[in-house]
Amino acid sequence: LASRMKVKASEVIAKLMSLGVMATMNQAVDVDTAMLIATDFGYEVEQGITEEIGIQMFEEAEEGGEMQPRSPVVTVMGHVDHGKTSILDAIRKTDVAVGEAGGITQHIGAYHVRSSAGDVTFVDTPGHAAFTEMRSRGAQITDLVILVVAADDGVMDQTREAINHAQAAGVPILVAVNKIDKPNADIDRVKRELSDLNLAPEDWGGQTVYCETSAKKNIGIDNLMESIQLVAEMLELKADPTRKAKGRVVEAQLDKGRGAVATVLVQEGTLNRGDHFVVGQFSGKVRAMLDDKGRPIKKAGPSIPVEVQGLSGVPSAGDEFLVVTDEKMAKSVSSARALKAREMELGATSKISLDKLFEKMNEGEVQELRVIIRADVQGTLEAFAKAAEELSTKDIKVKVLHEGTGTITESDILLASASEAIIIGFNVRPTVKVKDLAVRENVDVRSYDVIYHALDDIRNAMVGMLEPTF
Ligand code: GDP
């Protein structure tokens, strides 16, 4: 292989070792490994199709079809107890498809509502943690976030977090001011508090669409559905239903009777029973499909969630789902992916860290240092956020993505991972569980006692003078 590629045998052996394959000069390696190595050295392999070239060619061939409007995919976020679940339940009741031939809503992770205002797909796991976990896998399935704020409680911690997570993802926000039936409801207060967070309502000269709802008394739900359509129209959501299907896994599990099953949200094309596919590191053939009402279906188009049976293993939420031409291609791509994932795991390096900032800046890879701040007291947060942003130079901007009092959370790690940010904590220590997640997600978490030490480190990192840490 080395001589065919005109490289040194030792280079090939080193590459193999980085993949965890301990090979000698005249040992045979399997086809998939050889293909991966050859691609790494910039060669095209005739015998098989590797992930890089195969999928790329395949995707290009699929482009240029007929784009048609698709319905929006929505995630509901907000502080605990502000009414996310209640609003989703109230919306589900407006679904005209429920009650049709044997339809009972199943919890498959997402569902599609047909209403007189238009169709909408809801992701069934409300909250920003699930949303950002998907995003940290490169999956952006949400077109629009509904931010639920209780009128009697106003903006709370998780409201702010949800806003930061949605904004970091660049997803537009529609506000639902809920619980307006409560005697102590204060809608203006919610509007005021959200205006301070750059979400001023349209009637106050802002750009954010607001709806007033009572999930409990079923007030304003129809208006909410209409507003979703209004915001969605501006986004001009389109997909090509004629191509082979492409989508994302919303959730997956091992079912006793049916084997590995996954809820897939189709994003492009049409998924048909009998299609061969690759999903994450697994492959399969669509043996059966169920819709969100538990009914068997033969095909599913863009923005439709379906439960797929016939997978070779259980993928993760956020994994890409791609229909390919045949079983051979499905298998070769999935095994190449499994190898690649191993390689990434072995050579895992942090996405961004203070240590590597200067290097990456010079290579033009980063223009923005994103920071998430946690502190024991509010005063520290404000002082540090202001001082850190003032460190911005013409080459690099320091941007605070999120700040909050209290300990570093799993959702902070996920946001950092998805947004390539670092985390700085003042007098707060992450729990072991959070630390483990940070290691898995390769997130740089730094703890300080005083503000100026942290500022010094950032300043030094920006000019390549940070003392190495061991
Ligand atoms: P979640 O944690 O955001 O999903 O909130 P839930 O939907 O579980 O609601 C929390 C509590 O608030 C429940 O007891 C609901 O019955 C109540 N609730 C939800 N919406 C309303 C509303 O519009 N009005 C009133 N009065 N109570 C509501």
Side-chain angles (χ1 to χ4, degrees):
L1 184 61
S3 70
R4 287 282 295 276
M5 298 192 299
K6 298 185 183 65
V7 297
K8 287 202 188 88
S10 58
E11 283 182 60
V12 173
I13 290 174
K15 191 91 222 165
L16 282 165
M17 277 166 68
S18 76
L19 289 174
V21 182
M22 299 301 156
T24 56
M25 280 277 268
N26 41 21
Q27 184 183 332
V29 292
D30 63 58
V31 178
D32 288 334
T33 312
M35 267 162 48
L36 202 71
I37 297 280
T39 323
D40 265 351
F41 282 99
Y43 284 84
E44 260 186 58
V45 182
E46 277 172 33
Q47 196 209 357
I49 300 154
T50 67
E51 148 96 325
E52 310 304 342
I53 41 179
I55 288 293
Q56 209 178 330
M57 277 159 42
F58 179 75
E59 292 255 21
E60 275 163 16
E62 287 291 315
E63 272 165 21
E66 194 187 327
M67 299 298 273
Q68 284 176 22
R70 63 167 177 86
S71 39
V73 179
V74 174
T75 299
V76 178
M77 293 189 194
H79 195 72
V80 64
D81 279 348
H82 279 198
K84 298 181 291 294
T85 316
S86 306
I87 285 190
L88 279 167
D89 285 346
I91 288 172
R92 226 187 291 248
K93 285 191 195 120
T94 69
D95 190 350
V96 294
V98 173
E100 277 177 11
I104 303 166
T105 318
Q106 310 283 312
H107 286 270
I108 65 166
Y111 59 89
H112 187 74
V113 174
R114 272 165 51 200
S115 81
S116 51
D119 294 4
V120 184
T121 300
F122 289 89
V123 179
D124 208 0
T125 38
H128 54 266
F131 171 86
T132 298
E133 185 162 5
M134 287 260 230
R135 202 162 73 81
S136 72
R137 293 214 167 76
Q140 171 100 336
I141 63 167
T142 304
D143 300 309
L144 174 68
V145 162
I146 297 183
L147 180 71
V148 179
V149 187
D152 60 336
D153 208 19
V155 169
M156 302 298 281
D157 274 356
Q158 288 162 27
T159 317
R160 284 188 209 94
E161 288 204 9
I163 295 170
N164 290 338
H165 282 238
Q167 286 178 343
V171 177
I173 295 172
L174 189 163
V175 175
V177 185
N178 191 37
K179 305 201 186 184
I180 54 164
D181 59 292
K182 286 229 173 171
N184 53 344
D186 186 348
I187 298 167
D188 275 355
R189 174 182 150 206
V190 175
K191 289 185 173 174
R192 244 185 347 261
E193 290 172 342
L194 286 176
S195 296
D196 288 341
L197 300 169
N198 289 321
L199 290 174
E202 285 178 311
D203 51 336
W204 289 14
Q207 310 212 307
T208 308
V209 176
Y210 277 59
C211 293
E212 293 168 14
T213 60
S214 164
K216 194 170 181 179
K217 298 245 159 89
N218 207 16
I219 302 168
I221 301 298
D222 291 339
N223 178 44
L224 177 60
M225 290 298 282
E226 282 159 19
S227 302
I228 293 172
Q229 295 300 336
L230 209 78
V231 178
E233 262 166 40
M234 293 190 279
L235 300 174
E236 296 185 15
L237 306 167
K238 289 200 164 81
D240 171 11
T242 63
R243 55 164 285 170
K244 288 195 175 59
K246 187 176 165 178
R248 290 284 179 170
V249 174
V250 177
E251 62 177 47
Q253 74 256 2
L254 198 61
D255 185 283
K256 266 193 195 131
R258 301 178 299 161
V261 295
T263 297
V264 174
L265 177 74
V266 179
Q267 293 179 299
E268 287 282 350
T270 299
L271 180 62
N272 296 290
R273 205 152 72 188
D275 279 348
H276 290 279
F277 61 82
V278 180
V279 60
Q281 301 170 29
F282 303 105
S283 61
K285 179 179 176 179
V286 181
R287 210 166 52 218
M289 280 197 286
L290 297 180
D291 70 5
D292 52 356
K293 297 157 188 95
R295 300 174 299 200
I297 50 170
K298 286 191 182 136
K299 51 177 67 204
S303 295
I304 301 294
V306 279
E307 196 181 57
V308 176
Q309 297 173 32
L311 292 77
S312 68
V314 182
S316 307
D319 276 351
E320 189 191 51
F321 180 97
L322 187 68
V323 169
V324 293
T325 35
D326 53 31
E327 190 178 348
K328 189 165 159 255
M329 184 166 182
K331 288 207 167 131
S332 97
V333 172
S334 60
S335 61
R337 277 189 182 175
L339 258 174
K340 205 166 160 200
R342 241 193 102 176
E343 182 186 30
M344 302 243 303
E345 220 169 83
L346 285 168
T349 49
S350 28
K351 292 173 174 152
I352 185 74
S353 66
L354 273 193
D355 295 322
K356 283 209 222 88
L357 182 66
F358 188 65
E359 205 180 300
K360 293 207 168 180
M361 256 170 69
N362 276 345
E363 283 164 9
E365 276 182 42
V366 289
Q367 280 92 39
E368 192 172 81
L369 174 64
R370 297 180 204 118
V371 190
I372 292 169
I373 321 167
R374 283 279 175 187
D376 50 347
V377 290
Q378 183 70 28
T380 311
L381 285 177
E382 283 162 15
F384 178 74
K386 189 163 175 288
E389 293 195 323
E390 279 169 3
L391 290 178
S392 299
T393 65
K394 67 176 187 356
D395 296 321
I396 188 156
K397 196 174 155 222
V398 181
K399 186 176 175 192
V400 176
L401 275 194
H402 181 63
E403 54 184 73
T405 50
T407 184
I408 297 161
T409 64
E410 289 184 50
S411 116
D412 292 340
I413 305 284
L414 292 171
L415 180 62
S417 168
S419 312
E420 306 209 337
I422 64 164
I423 299 181
I424 290 186
F426 294 100
N427 300 313
V428 292
R429 297 272 177 272
T431 61
V432 174
K433 207 170 150 211
V434 170
K435 260 191 199 153
D436 287 348
L437 184 64
V439 170
R440 273 206 307 281
E441 297 284 333
N442 291 309
V443 172
D444 186 8
V445 179
R446 291 176 171 255
S447 303
Y448 296 93
D449 302 328
V450 283
I451 289 180
Y452 74 85
H453 283 159
L455 290 172
D456 280 351
D457 277 2
I458 294 181
R459 198 180 294 115
N460 288 334
M462 285 165 69
V463 293
M465 305 256 297
L466 186 71
E467 297 275 325
T469 49
F470 297 103

